[in-house]
Amino acid sequence: MERSDLAVSCRGLVKRYGELVAVAGIDLEVRRGECFGLLGPNGAGKTTTMEVLEGLLTANDGAVEVLGSRWGGDDRALRERLGVQLQETQLSEKLTVRETIRLFRSFYVRGREVGEVIRLVELDAKAKARVGKLSGGQRQRLALACALVCDPELLFLDEPTTGLDPQARLSVWRILERYRQTGGTVLLTTHYMEEAARLCDRVAIIDHGRIIALGSPAELVASLGADQVVEVRARGEVAPETLAGLPGVSGVTAVDGSLRLAVREIGTLLPALLNELERHQASLEKLTTHEATLEDLFVYLTGRELRDDD
Amino acid sequence: MMIDNARFRRLRPLAELTRVRMLEFIREPEAVFWVFVFPVLLAVALGIAFRAKPVSSLEVAVAAEPAAASRIEALLHGAPGLRVHLMGKAEADHALRSGRVDVVVEASGVGEGMPQDVTYRYDPTRAEGRAAHLAVDAALEKALGRTDVLEAHEERVSRHGSRYIDFLIPGLVGLNLMGSGLWGLGFAVVSARTRKLLKRFAVTPMYRSHYLLSFMLSRLLFMVLEVAAIVGFGWAAFGVRVNGSFAALAVVSVAGAMTFAGVGLLVAARPKTIEGVSGWMNLVMLPMWLLSGSFFSYERFPQIVQPVIRALPLTALNDALRLIMNAGSPLAATWSQLAVMALWALVSFALALRIFRWT
Ligand SMILES: Nc1ncnc2c1ncn2[C@@H]1O[C@H](COP(=O)(O)OP(=O)(O)OP(=O)(O)O)[C@@H](O)[C@H]1O
Ligand SMILES: [Mg+2]
């Protein structure tokens, strides 16, 4: 009988590497059956947080509870119930898909049939192929299979789709949705806001080892107080403050020489915006608009893009 | 039945890890070459190098004025094991320095059939030099009329079991068990660590001792093939025989394989890179390459270091293998070597398990 309906809870989590503070006080609660996402840029502390929760690292401070237990007790019993996919494990290239899954299956008392897991991750055609000959997306699905083979109550996934093309990403999402239908809990990290928005019931945005926003994707986007984002670049002097006063604008952020306006009513804003630019004799170079996303929230909160590449 | 089932299930990860370990190994063609083909090639090369030399004769240079030279040549004619070359003095000196001849005989002239002012020049640090000096001297004295008072018989020892190749094959077996134990395990473990595979295993309920034990077990199985390859080759190509029992040979080989699997795991317990572990392995293996008597007997090293040499695992393995294969001793005769190996195996395995780095 579980006392709580929390799959993971941690309070005041701190992890330092010498001088560097990788995790600077994180509080998290992941409910059973929920898909929870940690969204953040490179070096935000996502992996460090996950590895503390997985019992691989010991925190400098804070309390962690996973499926109602703390690390340092009967860890093997706890590990029976967890599926984990680490950020950068390279499985043995010389083994086949089936051999690899069979090995991981042998570590657990309970779990799924090897063939069933292969089907679950859609690798039937590759069951006899060497791991070294798999594509990136197939390897990722194999890693997922190794995490799912114990039929875990809780799944930790560290960047399950980083570096994958959109099609491979979709197939990972499909597999996760199937797992969730069986009542499983997921804690995942990602840099992709579409991924967080699509998969997660709740998302914590992490930056510099802290949670800077927490809620369902819809709530988070709504907290911008806008449904559209207008990006403007103009030649000439336009102060962010002047644009902030325009009708329908709920916030302005300067990013890389352009201004991003969070906008409630785009219809009333656009004429006013063009007027204002003309009044300052600034010539318009670029004007784009899109629906507000988690990415915009991150930019609004930090003044930086979530991803510095691609 | 229930208990048996539970026990079997508990050992399944160990069986699975061992199986996977062996699959990985045999799918690595280079590893197979170094473990099986290389020692056989080494045996061929060394076997031929030492067989091609027939019961070698001693080379004698005679550097004297012509009359003396031909007299000496005549006196030495027919002396067993000596080959005589007439040379000028400068040429003879050069031949002596370069080891082409073992002794130079000089004389100033001949008087009444007797060479005058005979001088032997040789390098006393070379065994052949000393032997050639004595042999030439004895042959000359005898030819000039010395009679030997003692009548002694000679027995040439070149029976099977006491040739160099007979000595070498057990040494190669020992060396190979050390090499494949250390390199094989060291690389596999450290590569799994750099690939974060160890970390991945660490988040499963796998018993950590099973992981290390799987290496010991896989070594045990490959050991059989390695020993069979070298011993079988030695027998087929050079007629090297196992004079003791095969069971005793098996026990000693198991002890050797376990010892070096343990040492290999210990060396690989901490390093994070292949370069790092390579350095440690060389550091561990070099003294044993030099001291443990794989190619030549270690008896010549100073008395004071003998106990240290005998405490090395490879020395113990080589000695035990030679006792069984060459001397045909029973297993009980190798108890001290077995004890040394068991101690190394147990201590290194226990220590490796304690300090093993999983992340
Ligand atoms: N073993 C370590 N030693 C020292 N510093 C570390 C170590 N591991 C991580 N760090 C540092 O801790 C910080 C957080 O790293 P972490 O791996 O948790 O980030 P992340 O959010 O997972 O980033 P990414 O998206 O790139 O995976 C980084 O600044 C990183 O350089
Ligand atoms: Mg990370």
Side-chain angles (χ1 to χ4, degrees):
Chain A
M1 212 180 61
E2 296 289 344
R3 273 184 298 110
S4 77
D5 56 0
L6 291 179
V8 177
S9 84
C10 78
R11 257 165 295 113
L13 196 65
V14 175
K15 178 70 190 175
R16 285 184 288 267
Y17 291 112
E19 291 282 280
L20 185 131
V21 183
V23 177
I26 279 186
D27 301 319
L28 266 187
E29 295 199 331
V30 180
R31 301 173 195 136
R32 280 176 187 270
E34 172 174 58
C35 179
F36 192 99
L38 298 176
L39 180 63
N42 288 130
K46 304 183 293 296
T47 298
T48 308
T49 305
M50 292 282 267
E51 289 189 350
V52 171
L53 300 178
E54 289 157 1
L56 280 175
L57 293 174
T58 346
N60 296 102
D61 202 0
V64 172
E65 225 171 81
V66 177
L67 297 174
S69 311
R70 287 164 186 253
W71 290 112
D74 189 356
D75 289 358
R76 293 195 55 251
L78 186 49
R79 295 198 185 288
E80 285 279 347
R81 303 156 69 194
L82 303 181
V84 178
Q85 188 219 305
L86 300 175
Q87 188 168 356
E88 43 191 15
T89 302
Q90 288 167 268
L91 297 162
S92 298
E93 308 226 318
K94 302 281 172 195
L95 299 178
T96 68
V97 167
R98 176 177 287 279
E99 286 161 355
T100 306
I101 299 176
R102 196 179 131 153
L103 173 66
F104 277 90
R105 175 64 187 86
S106 75
F107 298 152
Y108 299 88
V109 175
R110 292 179 322 103
R112 295 170 202 258
E113 294 265 334
V114 172
E116 183 193 336
V117 182
I118 292 179
R119 242 170 292 126
L120 184 68
V121 299
E122 302 167 16
L123 281 174
D124 317 60
K126 291 284 173 185
K128 291 204 172 85
R130 297 266 176 97
V131 174
K133 301 253 190 305
L134 297 183
S135 73
Q138 289 163 345
R139 281 180 203 220
Q140 204 64 29
R141 276 183 279 148
L142 174 59
L144 216 55
C146 295
L148 289 170
V149 78
C150 61
D151 199 8
E153 288 170 51
L154 171 60
L155 196 53
F156 288 100
L157 304 173
D158 200 348
E159 303 198 9
T161 64
T162 297
L164 300 190
D165 58 53
Q167 205 191 338
R169 187 169 302 157
L170 274 177
S171 79
V172 169
W173 291 355
R174 254 198 325 271
I175 294 162
L176 290 183
E177 274 157 9
R178 241 174 267 149
Y179 164 73
R180 292 202 53 208
Q181 277 161 15
T182 65
T185 308
V186 181
L187 175 55
L188 63 80
T189 74
T190 180
H191 317 188
Y192 300 109
M193 54 91 194
E194 322 92 88
E195 184 161 280
R198 158 97 185 254
L199 288 177
C200 298
D201 303 308
R202 288 192 305 145
V203 171
I205 299 184
I206 300 198
D207 192 32
H208 297 309
R210 282 178 208 287
I211 294 183
I212 56 175
L214 176 72
S216 72
E219 281 166 8
L220 288 174
V221 173
S223 73
L224 261 178
D227 41 37
Q228 293 283 322
V229 172
V230 175
E231 189 173 350
V232 189
R233 190 158 63 220
R235 211 175 308 128
E237 289 295 302
V238 190
E241 297 76 49
T242 54
L243 297 188
L246 293 174
V249 174
S250 58
V252 181
T253 333
V255 183
D256 305 334
S258 61
L259 295 175
R260 289 197 191 175
L261 316 185
V263 179
R264 203 157 324 167
E265 285 160 51
I266 193 138
T268 49
L269 168 73
L270 279 182
L273 174 63
L274 295 176
N275 265 338
E276 190 67 15
L277 290 176
E278 198 162 337
R279 209 165 59 78
H280 285 86
Q281 297 185 327
S283 63
L284 195 61
E285 280 184 341
K286 179 184 166 198
L287 182 124
T288 62
T289 135
H290 62 258
E291 236 177 285
T293 64
L294 287 174
E295 183 112 40
D296 298 305
L297 178 65
F298 184 82
V299 172
Y300 175 69
L301 292 173
T302 67
R304 284 179 291 123
E305 303 269 9
L306 194 50
R307 270 171 289 157
D308 28 31
D309 50 296
D310 109 332
Chain B
M1 194 63 207
M2 283 300 289
I3 295 167
D4 277 352
N5 257 341
R7 189 173 295 163
F8 174 74
R9 220 181 301 124
R10 249 176 67 105
L11 290 179
R12 221 186 91 189
L14 180 57
E16 229 12 77
L17 282 163
T18 308
R19 190 180 94 101
V20 155
R21 175 73 210 115
M22 305 212 305
L23 286 174
E24 282 179 312
F25 177 80
I26 56 174
R27 290 174 188 173
E28 192 82 65
E30 287 153 50
V32 173
F33 173 82
W34 287 108
V35 170
F36 294 114
V37 184
F38 179 70
V40 166
L41 292 182
L42 198 59
V44 172
L46 290 171
I48 286 173
F50 285 94
R51 191 166 70 158
K53 229 185 202 173
V55 182
S56 61
S57 51
L58 296 166
E59 308 292 328
V60 181
V62 178
E65 61 81 35
S70 53
R71 178 71 186 134
I72 292 174
E73 192 184 15
L75 289 171
L76 290 178
H77 185 77
L82 295 181
R83 249 205 330 225
V84 180
H85 311 270
L86 299 185
M87 296 181 181
K89 188 167 165 24
E91 192 194 351
D93 276 349
H94 185 255
L96 182 64
R97 264 199 310 273
S98 61
R100 231 166 357 100
V101 300
D102 301 310
V103 67
V104 176
V105 184
E106 290 174 358
S108 61
V110 194
E112 297 164 15
M114 194 72 90
Q116 305 286 301
D117 299 333
V118 174
T119 312
Y120 302 120
R121 281 153 42 72
Y122 65 98
D123 179 353
T125 63
R126 291 181 61 229
E128 294 89 343
R130 292 194 302 270
H133 153 236
L134 293 176
V136 169
D137 193 45
L140 287 177
E141 294 281 8
K142 207 169 173 181
L144 290 168
R146 184 182 78 184
T147 48
D148 292 338
V149 283
L150 177 69
E151 207 167 303
H153 295 288
E154 270 187 29
E155 192 176 337
R156 296 287 165 101
V157 191
S158 64
R159 283 171 314 179
H160 281 192
S162 48
R163 298 162 304 167
Y164 178 64
I165 189 75
D166 297 301
F167 175 86
L168 178 67
I169 291 286
L172 285 182
V173 170
L175 209 57
N176 207 52
L177 287 178
M178 172 172 83
S180 47
L182 262 73
W183 291 117
L185 299 204
F187 280 155
V189 168
V190 174
S191 138
R193 187 175 293 123
T194 56
R195 291 183 291 132
K196 305 271 167 79
L197 192 55
L198 291 186
K199 201 176 189 176
R200 180 65 186 83
F201 286 153
V203 293
T204 72
M206 179 191 78
Y207 283 99
R208 297 181 172 201
S209 56
H210 280 185
Y211 183 74
L212 302 199
L213 276 174
S214 74
F215 281 94
M216 304 286 263
L217 285 183
S218 66
R219 283 295 305 137
L220 209 56
L221 295 168
F222 282 116
M223 174 280 291
V224 174
L225 299 178
E226 285 171 39
V227 174
I230 301 174
V231 171
F233 175 80
W235 174 74
F238 299 106
V240 175
R241 279 202 298 256
V242 178
N243 291 318
S245 76
F246 279 96
L249 177 63
V251 171
V252 168
S253 304
V254 166
M258 294 300 90
T259 301
F260 289 112
V263 174
L265 286 173
L266 182 58
V267 171
R270 305 288 300 171
K272 285 181 169 174
T273 61
I274 294 290
E275 290 81 4
V277 78
S278 302
W280 282 107
M281 302 231 252
N282 283 326
L283 193 70
V284 168
M285 284 199 282
L286 191 68
M288 289 192 267
W289 269 88
L290 295 177
L291 301 177
S292 290
S294 292
F295 295 105
F296 298 99
S297 168
Y298 60 82
E299 307 279 347
R300 296 182 180 205
F301 289 107
Q303 202 55 43
I304 197 160
V305 297
Q306 292 289 331
V308 178
I309 294 179
R310 278 180 225 271
L312 295 174
L314 183 58
T315 316
L317 176 57
N318 284 343
D319 286 354
L321 286 169
R322 288 195 177 116
L323 278 171
I324 305 288
M325 287 184 65
N326 297 352
S329 308
L331 184 63
T334 63
W335 71 270
S336 64
Q337 285 86 4
L338 288 176
V340 168
M341 287 190 271
L343 198 66
W344 276 100
L346 289 175
V347 170
S348 57
F349 183 84
L351 202 58
L353 190 59
R354 256 187 101 81
I355 67 168
F356 204 80
R357 190 202 298 269
W358 291 89
T359 52

PDB file of all heavy atoms in Angstrom, chain A residues 41-48 87 158-159 189 191, ligand 2:
ATOM      1  N   PRO A  41      17.614  24.543 -21.628  1.00  0.00           N
ATOM      2  CA  PRO A  41      18.723  24.607 -22.587  1.00  0.00           C
ATOM      3  C   PRO A  41      19.888  23.714 -22.142  1.00  0.00           C
ATOM      4  O   PRO A  41      19.843  23.132 -21.064  1.00  0.00           O
ATOM      5  CB  PRO A  41      19.126  26.079 -22.560  1.00  0.00           C
ATOM      6  CG  PRO A  41      18.767  26.538 -21.191  1.00  0.00           C
ATOM      7  CD  PRO A  41      17.546  25.747 -20.799  1.00  0.00           C
ATOM      8  N   ASN A  42      20.936  23.632 -22.962  1.00  0.00           N
ATOM      9  CA  ASN A  42      22.131  22.870 -22.605  1.00  0.00           C
ATOM     10  C   ASN A  42      22.705  23.362 -21.291  1.00  0.00           C
ATOM     11  O   ASN A  42      22.781  24.563 -21.051  1.00  0.00           O
ATOM     12  CB  ASN A  42      23.216  23.029 -23.680  1.00  0.00           C
ATOM     13  CG  ASN A  42      22.866  22.285 -24.954  1.00  0.00           C
ATOM     14  OD1 ASN A  42      22.927  22.848 -26.035  1.00  0.00           O
ATOM     15  ND2 ASN A  42      22.477  21.047 -24.823  1.00  0.00           N
ATOM     16  N   GLY A  43      23.092  22.422 -20.452  1.00  0.00           N
ATOM     17  CA  GLY A  43      23.744  22.787 -19.194  1.00  0.00           C
ATOM     18  C   GLY A  43      22.791  23.295 -18.135  1.00  0.00           C
ATOM     19  O   GLY A  43      23.226  23.800 -17.099  1.00  0.00           O
ATOM     20  N   ALA A  44      21.487  23.156 -18.363  1.00  0.00           N
ATOM     21  CA  ALA A  44      20.525  23.686 -17.392  1.00  0.00           C
ATOM     22  C   ALA A  44      20.519  22.875 -16.098  1.00  0.00           C
ATOM     23  O   ALA A  44      20.130  23.379 -15.049  1.00  0.00           O
ATOM     24  CB  ALA A  44      19.125  23.679 -18.000  1.00  0.00           C
ATOM     25  N   GLY A  45      20.955  21.626 -16.193  1.00  0.00           N
ATOM     26  CA  GLY A  45      20.935  20.767 -15.008  1.00  0.00           C
ATOM     27  C   GLY A  45      19.907  19.652 -15.097  1.00  0.00           C
ATOM     28  O   GLY A  45      19.612  18.993 -14.103  1.00  0.00           O
ATOM     29  N   LYS A  46      19.399  19.394 -16.294  1.00  0.00           N
ATOM     30  CA  LYS A  46      18.367  18.367 -16.461  1.00  0.00           C
ATOM     31  C   LYS A  46      18.917  16.977 -16.162  1.00  0.00           C
ATOM     32  O   LYS A  46      18.346  16.227 -15.375  1.00  0.00           O
ATOM     33  CB  LYS A  46      17.827  18.388 -17.906  1.00  0.00           C
ATOM     34  CG  LYS A  46      17.286  19.730 -18.360  1.00  0.00           C
ATOM     35  CD  LYS A  46      16.699  19.652 -19.761  1.00  0.00           C
ATOM     36  CE  LYS A  46      17.726  19.377 -20.854  1.00  0.00           C
ATOM     37  NZ  LYS A  46      18.741  20.436 -21.015  1.00  0.00           N
ATOM     38  N   THR A  47      20.054  16.664 -16.818  1.00  0.00           N
ATOM     39  CA  THR A  47      20.622  15.328 -16.635  1.00  0.00           C
ATOM     40  C   THR A  47      21.035  15.111 -15.189  1.00  0.00           C
ATOM     41  O   THR A  47      20.799  14.044 -14.607  1.00  0.00           O
ATOM     42  CB  THR A  47      21.835  15.150 -17.575  1.00  0.00           C
ATOM     43  OG1 THR A  47      21.383  15.262 -18.915  1.00  0.00           O
ATOM     44  CG2 THR A  47      22.484  13.800 -17.379  1.00  0.00           C
ATOM     45  N   THR A  48      21.639  16.122 -14.596  1.00  0.00           N
ATOM     46  CA  THR A  48      22.077  15.996 -13.208  1.00  0.00           C
ATOM     47  C   THR A  48      20.874  15.695 -12.309  1.00  0.00           C
ATOM     48  O   THR A  48      20.918  14.799 -11.467  1.00  0.00           O
ATOM     49  CB  THR A  48      22.770  17.296 -12.763  1.00  0.00           C
ATOM     50  OG1 THR A  48      23.777  17.612 -13.728  1.00  0.00           O
ATOM     51  CG2 THR A  48      23.404  17.136 -11.403  1.00  0.00           C
ATOM     52  N   GLN A  87      21.223   9.600 -21.131  1.00  0.00           N
ATOM     53  CA  GLN A  87      21.392  10.514 -22.261  1.00  0.00           C
ATOM     54  C   GLN A  87      22.283   9.937 -23.354  1.00  0.00           C
ATOM     55  O   GLN A  87      21.986  10.086 -24.521  1.00  0.00           O
ATOM     56  CB  GLN A  87      21.960  11.852 -21.779  1.00  0.00           C
ATOM     57  CG  GLN A  87      21.966  12.908 -22.884  1.00  0.00           C
ATOM     58  CD  GLN A  87      22.251  14.297 -22.379  1.00  0.00           C
ATOM     59  OE1 GLN A  87      22.377  14.528 -21.190  1.00  0.00           O
ATOM     60  NE2 GLN A  87      22.350  15.236 -23.274  1.00  0.00           N
ATOM     61  N   ASP A 158      16.053  10.510 -20.667  1.00  0.00           N
ATOM     62  CA  ASP A 158      16.861  11.723 -20.799  1.00  0.00           C
ATOM     63  C   ASP A 158      17.062  12.017 -22.284  1.00  0.00           C
ATOM     64  O   ASP A 158      17.798  11.320 -22.968  1.00  0.00           O
ATOM     65  CB  ASP A 158      18.208  11.530 -20.089  1.00  0.00           C
ATOM     66  CG  ASP A 158      18.863  12.874 -19.765  1.00  0.00           C
ATOM     67  OD1 ASP A 158      18.386  13.909 -20.281  1.00  0.00           O
ATOM     68  OD2 ASP A 158      19.844  12.880 -19.005  1.00  0.00           O
ATOM     69  N   GLU A 159      16.402  13.023 -22.767  1.00  0.00           N
ATOM     70  CA  GLU A 159      16.445  13.437 -24.169  1.00  0.00           C
ATOM     71  C   GLU A 159      16.210  12.271 -25.118  1.00  0.00           C
ATOM     72  O   GLU A 159      17.079  11.906 -25.895  1.00  0.00           O
ATOM     73  CB  GLU A 159      17.784  14.114 -24.475  1.00  0.00           C
ATOM     74  CG  GLU A 159      18.000  15.290 -23.545  1.00  0.00           C
ATOM     75  CD  GLU A 159      19.065  16.260 -24.055  1.00  0.00           C
ATOM     76  OE1 GLU A 159      19.504  16.097 -25.206  1.00  0.00           O
ATOM     77  OE2 GLU A 159      19.417  17.167 -23.308  1.00  0.00           O
ATOM     78  N   THR A 189      13.307  14.524 -20.156  1.00  0.00           N
ATOM     79  CA  THR A 189      13.912  15.837 -20.380  1.00  0.00           C
ATOM     80  C   THR A 189      13.939  16.064 -21.877  1.00  0.00           C
ATOM     81  O   THR A 189      13.965  15.121 -22.658  1.00  0.00           O
ATOM     82  CB  THR A 189      15.368  15.909 -19.899  1.00  0.00           C
ATOM     83  OG1 THR A 189      16.187  15.190 -20.824  1.00  0.00           O
ATOM     84  CG2 THR A 189      15.529  15.323 -18.514  1.00  0.00           C
ATOM     85  N   HIS A 191      14.893  19.362 -25.113  1.00  0.00           N
ATOM     86  CA  HIS A 191      15.051  20.782 -25.461  1.00  0.00           C
ATOM     87  C   HIS A 191      13.954  21.187 -26.419  1.00  0.00           C
ATOM     88  O   HIS A 191      13.980  22.285 -26.921  1.00  0.00           O
ATOM     89  CB  HIS A 191      16.307  21.112 -26.260  1.00  0.00           C
ATOM     90  CG  HIS A 191      17.560  20.487 -25.870  1.00  0.00           C
ATOM     91  ND1 HIS A 191      18.737  20.863 -26.441  1.00  0.00           N
ATOM     92  CD2 HIS A 191      17.881  19.563 -24.976  1.00  0.00           C
ATOM     93  CE1 HIS A 191      19.711  20.158 -25.939  1.00  0.00           C
ATOM     94  NE2 HIS A 191      19.228  19.356 -25.054  1.00  0.00           N
TER      95      HIS A 191
HETATM   96 MG    MG C   2      21.574  16.387 -20.343  1.00  0.00          MG
END
